[in-house]
Amino acid sequence: MGLLARTYNDNTITLIFSGNLDADGSQSALPQLDKVIANPEFNEIEVELTNVTFLDSSGVGAIVYLYKRLIAKERSMRIENVSGQRRYWMIMPLPKTCPPVPGNGF
């Protein structure tokens, strides 16, 4: 699992996930997610999932982990280009303020 962070302006950071977002991938992503959570510089976080080839409940858990902590700090998050494993996205405990934007295969 890969995770790359790109900034496009002073307010937004995009987290680009790739590969398997499973138990192992989620564990390896947590330190970088914690850095994003701890950095108040970015008020809006975009989670880009175009290159995620596999997602399981651990991956969903990592995204929910990020979301809950950002909301607690009055920051926003959006999920872009969701694909595959539709069942996880349908049960994901995110409110309507953070709906996943479908991509190919959704």
Side-chain angles (χ1 to χ4, degrees), residues 34-50:
D34 286 334
K35 286 180 186 177
V36 170
I37 294 163
N39 183 350
E41 181 180 350
F42 302 105
N43 288 324
E44 186 173 328
I45 290 73
E46 177 182 79
V47 175
E48 170 61 57
L49 300 175
T50 299

Side-chain angles (χ1 to χ4, degrees), residues 19-78:
N20 293 337
L21 192 48
D22 55 9
D24 290 336
S26 298
Q27 278 301 114
S28 67
L30 282 179
Q32 191 163 356
L33 296 180
D34 286 334
K35 286 180 186 177
V36 170
I37 294 163
N39 183 350
E41 181 180 350
F42 302 105
N43 288 324
E44 186 173 328
I45 290 73
E46 177 182 79
V47 175
E48 170 61 57
L49 300 175
T50 299
N51 297 317
V52 171
T53 54
F54 179 78
L55 171 79
D56 68 8
S57 60
S58 296
V60 170
I63 293 170
V64 170
Y65 170 88
L66 174 64
Y67 176 77
K68 287 183 175 182
R69 281 149 186 83
L70 291 172
I71 294 304
K73 294 178 179 280
E74 298 181 0
R75 294 158 71 193
S76 65
M77 183 181 106
R78 70 178 182 269

Side-chain angles (χ1 to χ4, degrees), residues 57 60-61 63-65 67-68 88-96 98:
S57 60
V60 170
I63 293 170
V64 170
Y65 170 88
Y67 176 77
K68 287 183 175 182
Y88 289 119
W89 297 110
M90 301 313 288
I91 62 170
M92 190 175 209
L94 296 176
K96 292 181 181 179
C98 186

